[in-house]
Amino acid sequence: MKKYKAMYIIRPDLDEDKIKAVIEEMNKIFTDNESEVVEVNQWGLKDMAYEINDFKKGYYVVLLLNATPKAVEEYDRIANIREDIIRHIIVKD
């Protein structure tokens, strides 16, 4: 396993319960694929540098991970499909 840092931005129009559900589901991707979520930093609602999908704000979440290549691939696949995530990235730490 290698260390990674991942970030994703959740749509700002979701309520608090739905945001928590998205975070839990994204963390579950890693735990289901033999990886470890070391730390979850919820930055909260922030202004974005530029508008994405007519949103000027987004709910930022940053993860520190020990992940397998399979988990990274699955994270990228799921984040691309989900409509409640407007941007995501994962990089080796």
Side-chain angles (χ1 to χ4, degrees), residues 58-75:
Y59 194 91
Y60 284 69
V61 180
V62 177
L63 306 172
L64 297 177
L65 311 157
N66 292 322
T68 62
K70 180 182 174 188
V72 172
E73 186 178 308
E74 184 67 6
Y75 164 81

Side-chain angles (χ1 to χ4, degrees), residues 1-4 30 33-36 65-69 71:
M1 285 195 294
K2 295 183 180 178
K3 292 184 180 186
Y4 289 90
F30 293 102
N33 288 290
E34 298 131 18
S35 299
E36 175 188 13
L65 311 157
N66 292 322
T68 62

Side-chain angles (χ1 to χ4, degrees), residues 23-35:
I23 293 169
E24 288 175 14
E25 289 169 17
M26 295 305 286
N27 291 346
K28 193 172 183 322
I29 292 170
F30 293 102
T31 55
D32 288 350
N33 288 290
E34 298 131 18
S35 299

